[in-house]
């Protein structure tokens, strides 16, 4: 009966990448015991080894018949692939299942029934190819899994189908393209007690960010019901990030939470021929997260445990039991894990950046998979039966993909789907193939059906975009092995949290300017005073149509939050934390909000609380707002958010910077207000910087140095206030120049004063990003750091290194 055991019991875990063959079987029990001892919950069950598959081939005598059926296969001829694949599956399914093997499986199943005191115990039957999940090949979804299987007859039938699924069309094509022989890959099967997530939730998590490869986070997705919908991309799931370094230090670093649509859930049925089906989710379910914060942190800790056990990045499936079954109501379980196979194999000597050089008409948006750009002819295909119509180089647009689509996915220039999240099949395969993909567009097939040509961009952050027409783009390539070190710190200006994981992996010395305005404007969109006064406004809305619309907009944005101010704090904290995590452990200097009154007025409800100023550029902005009785309650929300990032999440690399601080007294007053709301200068290493952007900051730099830990030169405002012009006015724009001698004298002066006072000084204005000669001037002045736009950071580092060498400065 084969060269090794056919059945292996495991009483703790069913992790999928275990090679269930030969001498490696002995390590199974040790692995289960080790993970169990660290608190990881796993379903009980047994494994049908690859030796059992070999035994089936030998007992039935079908190996040569299969070889003959595959003879002359052309995997790029879709019709030929489908014909030969179907023929081989029929051969396997037509082969008599060995009686001895059936006896062993039923015996193990009866033992599982006894263990749970449950006749016809429900099990998941999970196939696992022994070549699956190798370092350079994921084999994700190539074989079949069957859920809610009950009774010996259905179990044997499911096992037989699993063995046959080694020859699905997608598996045959994938093996061929990866260079695996069809008989060099074998199949084992894990039979696990089902976790009743059909009445709770389930999902997928990775021990790294799936888009950037950033390895300091656990990325968790989830939806209500059985996990198949998440894996196959049939729903847009909830998404979460947990930061690993401070999680391990005992903090609660949930740095990102995003509510998914979750429009349906997969549940059990009583029909043995169709044991699962999909039902619509309720409004309450769609508006609720599938996991509590405590559950997220538990899963993240387990993910770290599993990653440490295997010594590599992992792709893990989880499930929550929810119905009082014998497994354990409300408990979380790990049901499967395998190595991550895309970013873990990425070469890190080079950085390639795709840059869109022109914009066109925006057609649809969704979640960006990867960071590349693709272009070509649009082809909408709604059924896998029509994939023979697809041609190489076209953009594939469909509702969702599953592994059967793989033969055409590999020849597409880009992929667009209506449904799916970042861990769905389309996303996983697109990453492996290196193809830009936009998932979860909701209506892409409808909007794009009459479009001839398009450009798919995943190079503009978290949101993927499909533009009409063929747009020009370039690929910038940097050799990281040739980048020199510099004495002058080269930092970055960052405002978009979704780009932080990518940008943080570029050579850098931290963030010299993290702007809160983008998070407030794009992720919150509501004036903080409108949130603070929500209940009062709601009463007024009964008689005021304008306020009624404001309340309606606030409610739409703050789903799930009874305390509307909590929405502001959580969203601002998570956006800031994502930037801080991306650049950890380097300093991230966060500038407090610097909206002008006209910009604040544009937020939802802002017009109710903002004055009309004739020149808001030099009006009520920056420091003067923070201690004002009219705005202090709103500023308190910012302070609480940043305190949450530092104290609850443990991201103490966050420093705080005060903008537009006109006088030394203003600086002292703001620091007192910050202390009042949890941000105490000097406590837990908190440093407070001041923007140097007003001539008074330069003239009194020695006095400002007594209050603040450092300066950051804002060359944009410093230039306009030195030259007495409005930088937003095209009428005087020809005079605006940071390289004007008056501006340079002030810059040189404040650097000298800061050095004398032993205070840090950098620059975060636009000048060194735009003008290499100004960057050289700053090096000559002895500035400590330059914070640059990410697209100029690498080339500026090269220039600064050369200038330092010319000046005899040693890094």
């Amino acid at each position: 009966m084969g060269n090794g055991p056919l059945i292996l019991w495991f009483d703790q875990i069913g992790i999928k990448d275990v090679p269930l063959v030969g001498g490696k079987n002995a390590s199974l029990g040790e692995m289960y015991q080790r993970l169990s001892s660290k608190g990881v919950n796993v379903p009980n069950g047994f494994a049908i080894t690859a030796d059992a598959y070999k035994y089936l081939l030998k007992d039935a005598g079908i190996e040569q018949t299969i070889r003959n059926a595959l003879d002359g296969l052309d995997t790029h001829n879709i019709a030929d692939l489908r014909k030969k694949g179907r023929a081989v599956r029929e051969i396997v399914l037509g082969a008599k299942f060995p009686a001895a093997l059936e006896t062993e499986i039923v015996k193990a199943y009866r033992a599982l029934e006894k263990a749970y005191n449950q006749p016809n115990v429900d099990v998941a039957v999970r196939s696992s190819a022994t070549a699956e999940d190798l370092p350079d090949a994921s084999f994700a979804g190539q074989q079949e899994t069957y859920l809610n299987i009950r009774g010996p007859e259905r179990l044997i039938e499911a096992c037989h189908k699993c063995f046959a699924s080694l020859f699905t069309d997608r598996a045959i094509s994938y093996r061929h393209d990866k260079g695996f022989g069809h008989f060099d890959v074998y199949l084992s099967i894990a039979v696990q007690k089902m976790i009743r997530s059909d009445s709770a939730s389930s999902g997928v998590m990775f021990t790294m960010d799936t888009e950037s490869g950033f390895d300091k986070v656990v990325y968790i997705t989830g939806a209500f019901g059985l996990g198949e919908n998440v894996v196959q991309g049939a729903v847009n799931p909830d998404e979460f990030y947990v930061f690993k370094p401070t999680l391990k230090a005992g903090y609660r670093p949930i740095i990102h939470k995003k509510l998914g649509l979750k429009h349906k859930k997969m549940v059990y049925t009583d029909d043995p021929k169709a044991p699962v089906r999909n039902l619509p989710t309720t409004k309450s379910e769609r508006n609720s997260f599938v996991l509590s914060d405590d559950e997220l942190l538990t899963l993240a800790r387990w993910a770290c445990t599993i990653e440490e056990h295997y010594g590599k990045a992992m792709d893990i499936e989880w499930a929550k039991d929810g119905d009082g079954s014998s497994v354990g109501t409300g408990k979380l379980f790990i049901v499967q894990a395998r190595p991550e196979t895309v970013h873990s194999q990425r070469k890190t000597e080079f950085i390639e950046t795709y840059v869109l050089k022109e914009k066109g008409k925006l057609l649809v948006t969704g979640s960006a998979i990867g960071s590349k750009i693709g272009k070509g002819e649009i082809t909408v295909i709604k059924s896998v039966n029509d994939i023979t119509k697809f041609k190489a180089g076209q953009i594939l647009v469909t509702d969702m993909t599953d592994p059967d689509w793989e033969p055409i996915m590999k020849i597409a220039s880009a992929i667009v789907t209506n449904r799916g999240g970042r861990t769905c099949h389309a996303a996983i395969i697109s990453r492996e193939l290196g193809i830009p993909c936009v998932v979860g567009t909701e209506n892409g097939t409808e909007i794009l059906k009459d479009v001839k040509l398009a450009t798919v961009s995943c190079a503009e952050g978290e949101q993927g975009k499909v533009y009409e027409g063929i747009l020009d783009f370039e690929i910038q390539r940097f050799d990281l092995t040739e980048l020199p070190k510099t004495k002058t710190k080269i930092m970055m200006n960052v405002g978009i949290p979704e780009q932080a994981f990518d940008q943080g992996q570029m050579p850098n010395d931290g963030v010299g300017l993290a702007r809160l305005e983008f998070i407030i404007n794009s992720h919150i969109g509501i004036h903080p005073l409108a949130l603070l006064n929500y209940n009062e406004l709601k009463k007024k809305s009964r008689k005021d149509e304008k306020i009624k619309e404001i309340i309606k907009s606030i409610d739409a944005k703050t789903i799930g939050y009874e305390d509307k101010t909590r929405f502001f704090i959580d969203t601002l904290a998570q956006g800031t934390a994502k930037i801080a995590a991306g650049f950890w452990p380097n300093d991230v200097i966060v500038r407090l909000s610097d909206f002008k009154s006209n910009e604040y007025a544009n937020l939802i409800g802002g017009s109710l609380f903002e004055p009309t100023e004739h020149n808001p550029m030099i009006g009520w902005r920056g420091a003067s707002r923070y201690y004002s009785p009219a705005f202090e309650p709103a500023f308190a929300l910012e302070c609480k958010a940043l305190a949450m990032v530092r104290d609850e999440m443990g991201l103490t690399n966050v420093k705080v910077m005060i903008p537009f601080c006109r006088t030394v007294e203003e600086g002292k007053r703001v620091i007192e207000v910050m202390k009042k709301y949890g941000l105490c200068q000097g406590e837990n290493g908190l440093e407070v910087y001041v923007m140097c952007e007003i001539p008074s900051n330069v003239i009194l730099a020695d006095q400002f140095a007594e209050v603040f830990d450092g300066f950051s030169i804002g060359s944009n405002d410093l230039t306009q206030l030195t030259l007495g012009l409005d930088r937003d006015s095209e009428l005087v724009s020809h005079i605006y120049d940071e390289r004007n001698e008056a501006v340079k004298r002030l810059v040189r002066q404040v650097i000298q004063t800061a050095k004398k006072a032993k205070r840090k000084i950098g620059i975060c204005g636009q000048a060194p990003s735009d003008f290499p000669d100004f960057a050289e001037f700053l090096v000559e002045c002895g500035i400590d750091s330059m914070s640059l736009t990410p697209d100029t950071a690498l080339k500026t580092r090269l220039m600064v290194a050369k200038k330092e060498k010319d000046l005899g400065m040693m890094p």
Side-chain angles (χ1 to χ4, degrees):
M1 287 180 58
N3 299 321
L6 302 184
I7 303 292
L8 286 172
W9 266 96
F10 51 89
D11 58 4
Q12 265 306 313
I13 199 161
I15 287 185
K16 188 173 180 181
D17 74 324
V18 180
L20 302 173
V21 290
K24 296 183 180 180
N25 286 326
S27 66
L28 237 64
E30 178 190 350
M31 180 194 66
Y32 299 151
Q33 187 176 24
R34 183 184 301 178
L35 292 176
S36 175
S37 69
K38 293 185 178 181
V40 181
N41 292 337
V42 289
N44 296 341
F46 57 92
I48 302 166
T49 72
D51 284 315
Y53 170 73
K54 297 177 190 176
Y55 178 59
L56 168 67
L57 293 183
K58 184 177 180 181
D59 186 74
I62 57 175
E63 181 173 332
Q64 188 57 48
T65 308
I66 293 173
R67 290 183 185 276
N68 294 341
L70 290 173
D71 189 45
L73 172 69
D74 179 2
T75 59
H76 295 279
N77 182 329
I78 304 299
D80 184 57
L81 173 63
R82 299 177 88 174
K83 179 181 177 182
K84 285 182 166 59
R86 183 167 53 250
V88 174
R89 292 191 296 275
E90 288 174 354
I91 292 169
V92 178
L93 289 172
K96 182 174 174 56
F97 205 85
L101 177 57
E102 182 174 332
T103 298
E104 290 292 317
I105 294 172
V106 172
K107 180 181 177 182
Y109 180 71
R110 294 299 186 198
L112 199 60
E113 287 179 317
K114 185 176 180 181
Y116 284 98
N117 193 26
Q118 185 179 341
N120 291 330
V121 63
D122 52 330
V123 294
V125 183
R126 299 178 179 276
S127 60
S128 179
T130 57
E132 190 164 0
D133 311 318
L134 293 175
D136 62 344
S138 75
F139 281 76
Q142 297 303 316
Q143 283 73 46
E144 300 292 358
T145 289
Y146 298 93
L147 305 178
N148 189 20
I149 300 301
R150 297 172 181 267
E153 289 185 13
R154 294 296 176 190
L155 175 58
I156 296 300
E157 180 184 346
C159 291
H160 206 161
K161 288 180 179 178
C162 278
F163 285 138
S165 74
L166 193 58
F167 292 96
T168 58
D169 298 348
R170 73 252 187 179
I172 294 170
S173 174
Y174 193 87
R175 284 196 297 271
H176 181 272
D177 290 344
K178 286 290 183 180
F180 292 98
H182 294 299
F183 290 90
D184 296 330
V185 177
Y186 297 97
L187 193 93
S188 56
I189 301 171
V191 179
Q192 300 171 320
K193 171 67 178 76
M194 280 288 292
I195 305 304
R196 289 301 302 268
S197 59
D198 61 312
S199 55
S201 58
S202 56
V204 177
M205 59 182 176
F206 285 79
T207 59
M208 61 162 47
D209 175 43
T210 54
E211 300 316 307
S212 64
F214 181 63
D215 62 1
K216 291 185 174 68
V217 289
V218 176
Y219 173 51
I220 303 171
T221 65
F224 291 109
L226 301 175
E228 197 70 7
N229 280 339
V230 178
V231 174
Q232 295 297 342
V235 296
N236 294 343
D238 293 344
E239 298 180 3
F240 313 92
Y241 284 102
V242 180
F243 186 55
K244 290 191 286 189
T246 56
L247 174 73
K248 294 175 182 179
Y251 291 94
R252 298 174 62 84
I254 302 171
I255 63 173
H256 177 83
K257 295 172 72 173
K258 181 181 178 183
L259 203 63
L261 293 177
K262 309 186 299 292
H263 64 285
K264 64 181 178 179
K265 61 180 179 180
M266 185 177 287
V267 300
Y268 274 26
T269 75
D270 295 325
D271 182 356
K273 293 185 178 179
V276 296
R277 66 180 177 127
N278 277 303
L279 294 177
T281 48
T282 64
K283 182 179 180 181
S284 175
E285 287 173 324
R286 291 192 295 275
N287 292 342
S288 302
F289 286 113
V290 298
L291 292 166
S292 68
D293 286 359
D294 286 343
E295 289 170 334
L296 284 170
L297 295 170
T298 294
L299 285 177
R301 292 188 193 100
W302 288 357
C304 292
T305 297
I306 293 168
E307 180 178 51
E308 288 165 3
H309 175 81
Y310 285 101
K312 60 183 72 175
M314 299 296 290
D315 168 359
I316 303 164
E317 292 182 28
W318 63 269
K320 179 180 177 180
D321 186 76
D323 76 335
S325 73
S326 53
V327 175
T329 304
K331 286 187 177 181
L332 294 166
F333 290 83
I334 300 300
V335 297
Q336 178 172 304
R338 53 178 168 248
E340 191 278 339
T341 57
V342 178
H343 291 290
S344 57
Q345 300 303 305
R346 185 179 62 176
K347 291 183 171 62
T348 57
E349 295 88 354
F350 294 91
I351 286 182
E352 272 192 355
T353 303
Y354 282 67
V355 180
L356 197 61
K357 298 180 71 175
E358 57 180 332
K359 292 291 178 77
K361 179 182 177 182
L362 183 61
L363 301 174
V364 295
T365 62
S367 295
I369 305 302
S371 57
K372 295 184 178 181
I373 299 173
K375 56 188 178 181
E377 181 183 353
I378 289 280
T379 300
V380 177
I381 296 182
K382 295 186 177 181
S383 169
V384 70
N385 295 323
D386 297 324
I387 63 175
T388 54
K389 299 176 182 177
F390 191 79
K391 298 177 181 177
Q394 293 179 332
I395 297 171
L396 172 62
V397 180
T398 187
D399 183 53
M400 58 179 281
T401 70
D402 61 35
D404 288 328
W405 293 73
E406 188 271 338
I408 64 169
M409 292 174 73
K410 65 189 179 186
I411 59 174
S413 63
I415 297 168
V416 180
T417 71
N418 291 341
R419 295 187 280 161
R422 297 180 187 278
T423 57
C424 73
H425 174 266
I428 291 172
I429 298 302
S430 294
R431 285 188 205 100
E432 184 175 334
L433 296 172
I435 295 171
C437 176
V438 178
V439 299
T441 62
E442 297 184 44
N443 54 1
T445 53
E446 186 63 28
I447 291 178
L448 300 176
K449 65 181 180 181
D450 297 320
V451 177
K452 298 289 187 185
L453 301 171
T455 300
V456 177
S457 174
C458 294
E460 300 171 73
E462 185 180 49
Q463 190 177 67
K465 301 177 180 180
V466 181
Y467 296 100
E468 185 173 28
I470 302 296
L471 304 182
D472 188 26
F473 66 89
E474 66 177 357
I475 304 172
Q476 299 175 349
R477 185 178 172 90
F478 294 94
D479 185 347
L480 299 183
T481 62
E482 297 179 0
L483 279 180
K485 293 182 178 180
T486 59
K487 180 180 180 181
T488 308
K489 288 187 176 182
I490 303 300
M491 306 176 84
M492 292 189 201
N493 295 342
V494 176
I496 302 176
E498 292 77 17
Q499 296 179 356
F501 293 167
D502 268 315
Q503 293 168 347
Q505 293 180 83
M506 297 169 63
N508 73 87
D509 297 305
V511 176
L513 174 62
R515 300 181 182 92
L516 292 187
E517 292 84 37
F518 178 87
I519 302 171
I520 294 172
N521 194 50
S522 298
H523 293 258
I524 298 173
I526 307 167
H527 197 288
L529 290 175
L531 295 170
L532 283 158
N533 292 278
Y534 174 82
N535 292 329
E536 184 181 335
L537 290 176
K538 195 167 185 179
K539 292 177 184 177
K540 292 181 179 180
S541 69
R542 297 167 189 161
K543 297 180 180 180
D544 190 317
E545 284 298 319
K546 178 183 177 183
I547 296 178
K548 186 176 182 180
E549 286 301 312
I550 290 172
I551 290 295
K552 186 177 179 181
S553 297
I554 292 175
D555 287 343
K557 278 185 165 285
T558 60
I559 291 171
Y561 282 91
E562 287 188 27
D563 179 353
K564 303 304 180 183
T565 62
R566 193 73 239 175
F567 167 74
F568 186 99
I569 294 168
D570 287 353
T571 307
L572 188 60
Q574 289 166 19
T576 304
K578 207 168 181 184
I579 296 173
F583 288 83
W584 175 272
N586 290 332
D587 285 353
V588 172
I589 302 173
V590 176
R591 187 181 70 187
L592 298 168
S593 63
D594 193 24
F595 282 127
K596 291 80 175 173
S597 54
N598 60 323
E599 294 168 337
Y600 260 126
N602 288 330
L603 297 175
I604 294 169
S607 60
L608 302 177
F609 301 97
E610 290 297 323
T612 299
E613 295 186 281
H614 294 297
N615 195 343
M617 184 71 77
I618 53 174
W620 196 34
R621 61 178 286 201
S624 62
R625 277 185 173 263
Y626 307 150
Y627 60 83
S628 167
F631 196 78
E632 183 183 317
F635 178 61
L637 302 183
E638 282 185 47
C639 294
K640 291 175 181 178
L642 295 181
M644 181 179 174
V645 172
R646 289 177 50 82
D647 300 336
E648 292 184 31
M649 301 183 186
L651 288 155
T652 52
N653 59 328
V654 166
K655 319 296 182 184
V656 176
M657 183 157 64
I658 299 172
F660 226 74
C661 186
R662 295 172 170 97
T663 69
V664 176
E665 183 59 31
E666 271 201 320
K668 292 177 180 178
R669 293 182 71 177
V670 172
I671 286 175
E672 283 302 310
V673 175
M674 288 170 53
K675 184 177 180 181
K676 184 176 173 182
Y677 298 109
L679 288 176
C680 185
Q681 185 180 23
E683 192 171 284
N684 200 16
L686 176 60
E687 294 180 343
V688 182
Y689 293 76
V690 66
M691 288 287 292
C692 178
E693 54 192 342
I694 306 169
S696 63
N697 301 142
V698 179
I699 296 166
L700 298 178
D702 56 333
Q703 295 182 30
F704 277 100
E706 294 175 3
V707 178
F708 294 101
D709 298 294
F711 300 84
S712 184
I713 300 168
S715 57
N716 300 354
D717 270 336
L718 186 61
T719 299
Q720 75 165 343
L721 295 174
T722 300
L723 299 180
L725 53 81
D726 181 352
R727 58 188 167 102
D728 288 340
S729 171
E730 69 278 2
L731 299 175
V732 291
S733 61
H734 63 284
I735 306 171
Y736 183 91
D737 189 346
E738 297 96 324
R739 295 169 295 178
N740 182 282
E741 185 58 30
V743 179
K744 292 174 73 173
R745 287 190 185 188
L746 290 178
V747 169
R748 185 183 292 110
Q749 179 181 331
V750 75
I751 292 174
Q752 291 171 350
T753 304
K755 292 283 187 180
K756 187 176 180 180
K758 297 183 179 179
R759 289 290 184 263
K760 299 175 183 176
I761 185 160
I763 187 169
C764 61
Q766 189 65 27
S769 294
D770 289 346
F771 307 115
D773 58 329
F774 194 88
E776 291 182 340
F777 160 73
L778 293 170
V779 175
E780 292 170 355
C781 292
I783 200 164
D784 292 325
S785 64
M786 298 182 205
S787 194
L788 306 145
T789 55
D791 61 323
T792 64
L794 292 177
K795 64 182 181 183
T796 303
R797 180 181 288 273
L798 296 173
M799 182 276 299
V800 167
K802 182 177 183 303
K803 185 65 177 179
E804 288 182 349
K805 184 178 180 181
D806 293 343
L807 295 173
M809 298 169 63
M810 296 296 292

